Amino acid sequence: MIALLQRVSHAKVVVDGATIGAIEAGLLVLLCAEKGDSEKEADALLSKLLGYRVFGDEAGKMNRSVTDINGGLLIVPQFTLAADTKSGTRPSFTPAASPQDGLRLFEHVVRQARARHPVVETGQFGADMKVSLTNDGPVTFWLQVHPK
């Protein structure tokens, strides 16, 4: 599983002209399942991103997580994070999970996130989404959990 975390002051997802998910301060999480991933990797990645300390404390050090600040979480499916870009000028998506597995794991992460965090919004799996954000910092991190 892959998550690209972006600390944001606000972010939103629009599908067909309608806003379907929006948050104020928090994390925009672009989420991708790879072949071989399961709920085990999804749970590990969610735990890591909920506890990842990317928000400043009183001294300005990154010592607080999205959970600590009660920030928003906007989870957006993005299979292109699994692209193989090692050769040529066109990415290959063979490392990505099948659409069925990707949807299942995306929905699992969203369910688990909503059970563990008060503010969870989402994008729409398989939709043509317009994602806008103001990256705060900018602060961006790549998290990845591999199957054991």
Side-chain angles (χ1 to χ4, degrees):
M1 294 287 297
I2 301 168
L4 183 72
L5 309 182
Q6 296 183 76
R7 185 178 74 186
V8 299
S9 54
H10 60 270
K12 70 177 180 178
V13 178
V14 174
V15 174
D16 295 328
T19 299
I20 64 165
I23 61 168
E24 292 304 317
L27 291 176
L28 169 63
V29 178
L30 303 176
L31 186 70
C32 177
E34 295 181 284
K35 286 181 182 169
D37 286 339
S38 69
E39 285 78 1
K40 180 179 178 182
E41 287 77 33
D43 290 343
L45 186 64
L46 178 61
S47 290
K48 188 167 186 170
L49 75 88
L50 286 174
Y52 217 65
R53 298 181 299 169
V54 300
F55 295 92
D57 62 12
E58 298 80 17
K61 290 187 79 174
M62 285 194 229
N63 276 328
R64 292 190 174 137
S65 69
V66 70
T67 302
D68 295 333
I69 67 155
N70 292 314
L73 196 59
L74 177 55
I75 305 171
V76 177
Q78 187 170 357
F79 82 96
T80 61
L81 291 175
D84 180 349
T85 60
K86 293 180 186 126
S87 65
T89 57
R90 184 167 186 236
S92 166
F93 298 106
T94 55
S98 70
Q100 299 86 346
D101 288 339
L103 175 59
R104 177 177 53 81
L105 291 170
F106 174 73
E107 289 176 342
H108 175 80
V109 168
V110 170
R111 273 192 311 275
Q112 296 303 310
R114 287 185 169 144
R116 297 175 60 183
H117 194 73
V119 180
V120 178
E121 298 283 324
T122 70
Q124 182 180 333
F125 193 92
D128 180 18
M129 297 175 281
K130 307 301 180 208
V131 180
S132 61
L133 67 134
T134 300
N135 191 317
D136 181 15
V139 173
T140 303
F141 293 97
W142 175 280
L143 300 180
Q144 191 165 17
V145 174
H146 297 282
K148 300 276 188 233

